[in-house]
Amino acid sequence: MRPHRSALFLLLAVTAVDSLIIVSTPLLLMKIIDDGILRDDMAVVTAIALVVAGLAVVDALAQLGQSYISGRIGQGVSHDLRVETFKHVQRQPMAFFTRTQIGLLASRLNGDVMLAQQALSTLLTSATSALTVVLVLAEMFYLSWLISLIAVGMLPLFVIPGIYVGRRLQRYSREQMQANGELGGIISERFNAGGAMLAKLYGRPREEADAFETRARTVREVGVVWTVYSRLSFIFMALLASLTTALVYGVGGGLVLNDVFQIGTLVALAALLGRLYGPITQLSAMQSNALTAMVSFDRLFEILDLKPLIEESPDAVALPAPDGGPAPEIEFEGVSFRYPRAGDVSLVSLESSALSPAEREKETAEVLHDLSFRAPAGKLTALVGPSGGGKTTTTHLVSRLYDPTSGTVRIDGHDLRDVTLDSLRDVVGVVSQDAHFYHDTIRANLLYARPEATERELLDACRSARIGDLVASLPSGLDTVVGDRGYRLSGGEKQRLALARLLLKAPSVVVLDEATAHLDSESEAAIQRALTIALRNRTSLVIAHRLSTIREADQILVIDGGRVRESGTHEELLAEGGLYAELYHTQFNRPGTNGTGPDGGGHAHEALVPTPVPGDGDLAARQPVVGGSLALGGTVPPGAGGDLVVRRQSEEH
Ligand SMILES: Nc1ncnc2c1ncn2[C@@H]1O[C@H](COP(=O)(O)OP(=O)(O)OP(=O)(O)O)[C@@H](O)[C@H]1O
């Protein structure tokens, strides 16, 4: 509220003007009757009537001003809240997003913020009513203490039901919001492209519609009760106001007949009564508004109170920017890791099927155990190993999606917990298996990596990533909309577009999860060449699924059961005859993984020495061959199709 202080003062000033007009009008009416009508003085009647009319216009303007200012304050607060919550959610760790149902989160950011704002605006208007009530009561006591006492005696009848109804309304508001959020959650989960596909293939539409209806019914039931309660207070107040008016006219009429005061005073008192109960009604609604606002604020603060697990240390230093200098080394030292407990990263109310409180606090199993290795600067380190061994988890720690439970991950000798998040993002580039693109143009998706990139740089990156031809063939070129609902890119095209994005970002460390999808040899070759460029001269950690990449690696780490079981080059590990050799014979050396013969040589180069993609830039393809070792496994003789042979990145410079 602090930033809105001046608006609050303005609101107070306008309210003061409004209140003065409200109390002066009945006095003027009294004068019109007692000094004008009863004394047959037309001049007085006309003059006072004109003043009353003028004041009415000023009052209307003051009320307009009041609504505008209180609206601005309410909207201002909700704007700040919404933006703050968005920024806070951005800072949450990945674990938060893997647990949270996005529809529920969206309902907090939209629905709750809106309700909080509405309640706050009404609350401000009601608060200003307090001033009016004080002035009106003072004037009534001045005119007749007896009538005023009757009016004041009736006040508890207005206030007590307000409190009761307010409590009920608060409870139903909370239930209604939760139920609405759940409805939104179902809609966003079932009707996004992936969810809709799953439902079509496996879903039972009737059961799904029934589940939706059950929740929709809750919204309806709670909504009906809420409406009745919110009307109830107004109906009751209106009834009481009418009864009190009757009482005042009854008692006041008697006082006029007994000449205690003139009829003008009675009319003024009745008019003041009308002006008293209006603001009092607002004041008693103030409590329920305050409570409604509290519900929404509570639900927002619940998110704001969630402490992000990954935070920048106050004296964090920047990692050296990747400006073409030597790439940094990555080092894992005694790293153990377990995924955070649900209770530490998410909120029960944002999960569609929350765990029990005991389960939420239960420690998760340790996934990485005392992992130590070095990924040498500028070299390719391949991670291989059985499924669930911890390869993906290891790469998550390099981009600091998570922090190790114990031990240290370093880049360029710096503990990642001591470097700024921005500099880490600049240094580390990640390409995941199923690269995500926003529902936007190819251009916008690429510029996301480097907003200042020129058209030429965008096209160069596409060419180097072997996606240039595809982009050129699209009717709208770079302006083709991709992503969730845009142009459907194939798996291989997506990976290459993701590589183009990576090339634009030009990080010095690359973390890559190779696609496992079976690709035809042309796509495979295109990706391989794009990769060679993307990884050149960069320190790379690649979860390798293709034999070509594995054999090209300067170092292979076999990760199994959260430990490094073996490390070495392809030849060394094969010679060892351990887990790697076993994996090689059972997994990598099968057709479709681009290794063929058990000797590992054979046609391994076939996928790497493809028919050139016509016209699709050839930065990689034209690299001269430096020695026979550049052909993977040394199977392609130097010069044989030499201009197409993929070079080992470590030998580029
Ligand atoms: N978000 C998570 N929360 C809790 N446990 C997780 C989470 N993600 C992965 N795990 C667990 O961590 C272990 C290692 O998983 P990880 O994904 O790192 O293995 P991987 O070697 O990459 O497997 P794959 O090759 O199948 O992708 C697995 O037992 C997995 O169930």
Side-chain angles (χ1 to χ4, degrees), residues 155-426:
L155 281 185
L157 295 178
F158 286 77
V159 176
I160 292 166
I163 294 173
Y164 168 77
V165 171
R167 295 238 164 92
R168 287 279 151 140
L169 275 177
Q170 182 194 24
R171 205 181 86 205
Y172 292 119
S173 292
R174 193 183 282 271
E175 280 180 24
Q176 205 178 25
M177 272 181 267
Q178 189 63 30
N180 269 328
E182 282 174 17
L183 270 190
I186 297 185
I187 294 170
S188 69
E189 188 168 273
R190 287 298 185 268
F191 294 159
N192 70 40
M197 165 91 95
L198 199 65
K200 287 214 181 297
L201 298 177
Y202 287 94
R204 285 179 283 262
R206 189 180 307 231
E207 281 89 335
E208 297 212 346
D210 285 350
F212 185 79
E213 212 205 322
T214 310
R215 287 193 171 79
R217 209 177 298 132
T218 314
V219 174
R220 185 185 64 190
E221 305 303 328
V222 178
V224 170
V225 182
W226 189 88
T227 313
V228 170
Y229 268 99
S230 60
R231 286 295 306 152
L232 193 70
S233 54
F234 281 103
I235 294 170
F236 191 69
M237 304 274 170
L239 173 69
L240 275 175
S242 304
L243 292 178
T244 317
T245 309
L247 201 65
V248 164
Y249 269 103
V251 178
L255 293 176
V256 173
L257 291 178
N258 287 310
D259 282 335
V260 177
F261 49 64
Q262 282 189 297
I263 184 150
T265 309
L266 178 61
V267 172
L269 281 167
L272 281 170
L273 206 62
R275 284 162 172 76
L276 178 69
Y277 290 129
I280 292 242
T281 312
Q282 272 185 336
L283 277 180
S284 63
M286 187 166 136
Q287 200 216 10
S288 73
N289 279 322
L291 294 176
T292 311
M294 287 309 285
V295 174
S296 294
F297 280 125
D298 257 8
R299 285 162 54 93
L300 288 167
F301 285 133
E302 197 183 20
I303 298 181
L304 285 170
D305 285 345
L306 204 59
K307 205 170 157 333
L309 280 188
I310 309 271
E311 283 204 281
E312 191 168 283
S313 119
D315 35 36
V317 295
L319 275 175
D323 51 5
E329 178 188 70
I330 307 171
E331 185 191 358
F332 274 59
E333 190 188 333
V335 169
S336 296
F337 176 74
R338 54 176 86 242
Y339 280 95
R341 294 176 295 191
D344 291 337
V345 288
S346 68
L347 295 170
V348 180
S349 52
L350 288 180
E351 294 174 24
S352 55
S353 44
L355 301 169
S356 70
E359 279 174 309
R360 291 179 62 75
E361 295 311 318
K362 209 163 84 188
E363 207 61 274
T364 61
E366 194 172 88
V367 175
L368 301 179
H369 320 283
D370 198 18
L371 199 71
S372 296
F373 67 85
R374 277 166 194 272
K379 307 267 172 163
L380 166 58
T381 297
L383 300 180
V384 300
S387 178
K391 303 181 290 295
T392 310
T393 309
T394 306
T395 58
H396 283 342
L397 301 187
V398 177
S399 43
R400 215 184 160 204
L401 291 181
Y402 298 93
D403 278 337
T405 320
S406 63
T408 314
V409 180
R410 294 192 190 88
I411 289 184
D412 201 24
H414 297 277
D415 185 335
L416 293 192
R417 285 170 292 213
D418 300 332
V419 302
T420 59
L421 293 172
D422 277 349
S423 71
L424 182 65
R425 269 192 288 267
D426 286 344

Side-chain angles (χ1 to χ4, degrees), residues 37-52:
I37 301 173
L38 295 183
R39 291 191 190 160
D40 244 351
D41 189 341
M42 193 54 207
V44 170
V45 171
T46 316
I48 298 182
L50 282 176
V51 174
V52 170

Side-chain angles (χ1 to χ4, degrees), residues 493-653:
E493 288 161 356
K494 262 191 181 178
Q495 276 252 319
R496 281 182 280 152
L497 193 57
L499 287 174
R501 187 164 59 184
L502 182 88
L503 284 171
L504 273 173
K505 178 172 166 167
S508 50
V509 169
V510 173
V511 171
L512 181 106
D513 194 349
E514 271 192 334
T516 43
H518 183 78
L519 303 167
D520 61 57
S521 61
E522 195 165 309
S523 311
E524 174 88 39
I527 286 199
Q528 192 60 41
R529 284 188 290 158
L531 259 184
T532 306
I533 294 185
L535 304 187
R536 181 186 303 152
N537 215 23
R538 301 195 157 112
T539 310
S540 41
L541 206 56
V542 177
I543 300 179
H545 297 292
R546 284 192 299 257
L547 182 60
S548 48
T549 313
I550 297 170
R551 301 177 78 201
E552 199 177 354
D554 300 279
Q555 171 184 232
I556 300 168
L557 301 175
V558 185
I559 310 258
D560 176 31
R563 293 191 163 83
V564 180
R565 295 281 179 205
E566 296 167 11
S567 66
T569 61
H570 170 69
E571 284 77 16
E572 287 165 3
L573 292 178
L574 216 50
E576 257 178 45
L579 182 57
Y580 177 78
E582 191 185 320
L583 283 170
Y584 171 72
H585 290 299
T586 54
Q587 283 190 23
F588 304 127
N589 198 22
R590 282 185 285 117
T593 52
N594 75 31
T596 47
D599 61 349
H603 313 275
H605 64 283
E606 277 179 2
L608 302 169
V609 191
T611 319
V613 183
D616 195 359
D618 47 11
L619 271 167
R622 293 219 187 100
Q623 301 298 337
V625 177
V626 184
S629 63
L630 291 179
L632 299 182
T635 51
V636 178
D643 63 336
L644 290 177
V645 175
V646 176
R647 302 197 315 152
R648 264 238 303 258
Q649 39 109 20
S650 53
E651 291 171 59
E652 288 284 321
H653 292 271

